[in-house]
Amino acid sequence: MITIPQPQTGIIPLYERPAWKALQQHYAKVQNAHLRQMFAEDPQRAEHFAFEAVGLYFDYSKNRITDETVRLLLELANQSGLRARIDAMFSGEKINVTEKRAVLHVALRATKDESIMVEGKNVVPEVHAVLDQMTGFANQVRSGQWRGHTGKRVRNVINIGIGGSDLGPVMAYEALKYYSQRDMTFRFVSNVDGTDFAEATRDLSADETLFIVSSKTFTTLETMTNARTARKWALRALGDEKAVARHFVAVSTNTAEVKKFGIDPANMFQFWDWVGGRYSMDSAIGLSTMIAIGPDQFRAMLAGFHAMDEHFRTAAFDRNLPVLMGLLAVWYNNFFGSQTIAVLPYEQYLKRFPAYLQQLTMESNGKRVTLDGTRVEYQTGPIFWGEPGTNGQHSFYQLIHQGTKLTPCDFVGFFQTLNSLGDHHDLLMSNVFAQAEALAFGKTPEEVREEGTPDWLVPHRTFEGNHPSNVILAERLTPETLGKLVALYEHSVFTQGTIWQIDSFDQWGVELGKVLAQRIIPELEATEEPSLKHDSSTNALIRRYRNLKGGAARMKKNG
Ligand code: F6P
């Protein structure tokens, strides 16, 4: 007999929740209220809608909200069963209902003395055992004790993985580069496009290179293709199968496949099916991060995650950073009809943070059915995007300021820079404050006219303002702060998913393309013209590719 997973009990559909209905009425009243007016009416607004928690200062005063908005959003959280869902996640319940899995990335950063049970077993000791194994290995590599096949020390580490097995490691490496061992090179190969591998290895010596093959399933096409290419590349230079043991380690949940690939299970670092790929950067998937920054800094990052977890789990919702951020995202997504959220870190080291958040947020909340399979009648996950400041200001901010779309923005900045150079940091931070100010308050036609602008130019130079933003500030970018920031978004995503009653932890939407690609591969590679049974467009594209794919080789031959 098939057991159909039982999702949240006792939660009525979103549109029927009283707080939702009240929010609709409230929205009708406040939708045109301008931030200019709200700030003018309440001189204390900045203090009112800002607070500090776990070392992050969160200013959400430049949002199109009133006390009543916040009160109703908090009511919505309560009526959506958020408290019970948080407790269910932290206690190891199988809240990923479609995959029948617990969702326990929070266990990855639990302290040794905590106990988190999955099917009657405390998983925290296993987490710490893997952390200790990673620590031992990272120390050996960093100190040069771990030698390659020819006896040389490892100078280069290449993480091969994709999605959650890549974006977390590469984002964390870039974010924490300041703390990294600078006499080592770290690279990340993800794309099945051979260029990725070729460029990552072209200037490296195989005898000094360690590959970390990171894949939860150890079956992902891109990763396994790159891993096989890496093995050939290494063996071509090192000439001995035995070299694999010194130059390849694996991070996976799948011991059988790791063995099949030829990696010694002694060089395998485990994680568990209750860690989602996009929630795994603090598991063994973070091995490259730990080698780069060292075990102590890695544990500091985990402490940051844990601090945010505890805040999310215990703080009252009206002073709960992830809850408020999540509710604000719902407010714009479902009431103002915003389609996207821009994440704008004013910190060069966070240049991959928006890309990382794209998978975290969009693979989590890009769903169109509720936990029990009912088609939703409302918008779910917004599109996340962004670039580090100030670069974005000179490209896409124009649209945010004067375009027709309402794009809520998250600004992330730091009081102190890691690279103090003249007045660079003051210039950088002045732009955070200026952009948030300009977005909120704009510039009226009267103000533009007063500057002597001719009438015909006034509309072009007017900024309507009323564009909402959050400003998140921390002391400086440290491993701990990074952990807090990532956990903040993880839990904000969870809060949003809870309101929408969707499964934020599965990702069925990535399957169809994978299956179709598997069918097309032999059609591209067949020596005889294959009989194609796709639609006419796909058939024509395949035929054209088959006819022209030898072009480069022909050009080379002819040239
Ligand atoms: O793209 C889908 C996905 O399953 C992601 O969720 C995951 O992070 C990625 O593929 C990589 O999967 P794996 O770690 O199993 O190779």
Side-chain angles (χ1 to χ4, degrees), residues 162-165 215-217 220 223 277-278 359 363 507 510 514:
I162 196 161
S165 301
S215 174
K216 182 172 170 180
T217 54
T220 305
T223 301
R278 53 193 176 274
Q359 188 201 12
E363 207 171 70
Q507 57 284 315
V510 300
K514 286 188 197 171

Side-chain angles (χ1 to χ4, degrees), residues 365-370 373-378 380 502:
N365 283 343
K367 310 290 161 66
R368 66 190 317 148
V369 294
T370 60
T374 311
R375 182 89 147 76
V376 296
E377 291 165 15
Y378 40 84
T380 59
I502 55 178

